[in-house]
Amino acid sequence: MTAEKHFIPLNIAVLTVSDTRTDSDDLSGKTLVERAQEAGHQVIEKKIVPDNIYQIRAAVSAWIADDGINVVLTTGGTGVTGRDGTPEAVQPLLDKVLDGFGEVFRMLSYQDIKTSTIQSRAIAGVANATYVFCLPGSSGACRTAWDDLIKEQLDFRTRPCNLVQLMPRLLEK
């Protein structure tokens, strides 16, 4: 008989990347905070930084270095315009890239936005035993990513496997 798995709440940080958003109109950041909390996780910190590679990298780096944060969710800056630099800011910080995340996210997005999904450079990976997910800036994309992909992978009860069960082994050498 298999022992029942219990939910393990994670500590999450949320970063909105935008030159124009404020706390009052940051729908994507609010969506991620609400969804994470509804799932039973703790949102430790939320902040907004401009579309600047170095400010994005500084915020994400600080959270990756913080042993109290298990997951970083970013929203914004994953498009193709000149100011979109979230993947360039974050990818050098990652120890491992989760290629399947971007692939599956775009597959799911295709159902809603069709070929516009090719404009998304959403990525995910792991750095210093912290999972990092970089999502587009639309609240719809954040809902898709959380509801259809991230939520289950951050739930220890998800079978056959999930990202939480791997956490004790992420720093193995």
Side-chain angles (χ1 to χ4, degrees):
M1 183 172 161
T2 307
E4 183 180 334
K5 289 184 171 186
H6 297 283
F7 182 78
I8 298 173
L10 301 176
N11 294 331
I12 297 177
V14 176
L15 180 69
T16 298
V17 177
S18 175
D19 290 331
T20 59
R21 296 285 179 240
T22 64
D23 282 329
S24 62
D25 65 1
D26 176 18
L27 296 179
S28 297
K30 286 179 185 173
T31 296
L32 292 173
V33 167
E34 289 169 2
R35 292 249 189 320
Q37 290 173 335
E38 287 169 4
H41 300 295
Q42 303 233 71
V43 176
I44 302 300
E45 191 172 352
K46 180 193 177 299
K47 67 191 312 187
I48 299 172
V49 298
D51 282 301
N52 175 289
I53 288 174
Y54 302 102
Q55 289 187 46
I56 298 165
R57 193 173 290 159
V60 174
S61 291
W63 288 336
I64 289 169
D66 184 338
D67 291 338
I69 295 179
N70 308 114
V71 179
V72 174
L73 303 172
T74 76
T75 174
T78 62
V80 297
T81 69
R83 296 282 296 162
D84 290 323
T86 300
E88 290 76 13
V90 173
Q91 195 150 11
L93 303 174
L94 301 177
D95 300 323
K96 300 223 171 30
V97 176
L98 299 172
D99 293 318
F101 173 79
E103 296 164 358
V104 173
F105 172 76
R106 284 181 283 280
M107 180 192 75
L108 293 169
S109 294
Y110 182 82
Q111 297 169 23
D112 294 326
I113 64 171
K114 301 298 181 214
T115 60
S116 296
T117 195
I118 68 167
Q119 297 176 34
S120 170
R121 299 182 307 129
I123 64 166
V126 63
N128 192 35
T130 304
Y131 290 111
V132 181
F133 297 90
C134 300
L135 312 175
S138 79
S139 56
C142 289
R143 283 191 299 274
T144 297
W146 181 267
D147 295 348
D148 298 338
L149 201 51
I150 298 171
K151 180 182 176 185
E152 286 188 9
Q153 281 299 296
L154 296 185
D155 188 333
F156 186 64
R157 301 167 297 187
T158 298
R159 296 178 192 263
C161 57
N162 57 76
L163 294 173
V164 180
Q165 71 189 49
L166 300 174
M167 290 174 71
R169 299 182 54 209
L170 291 176
L171 294 176
E172 286 178 345
K173 297 288 179 197

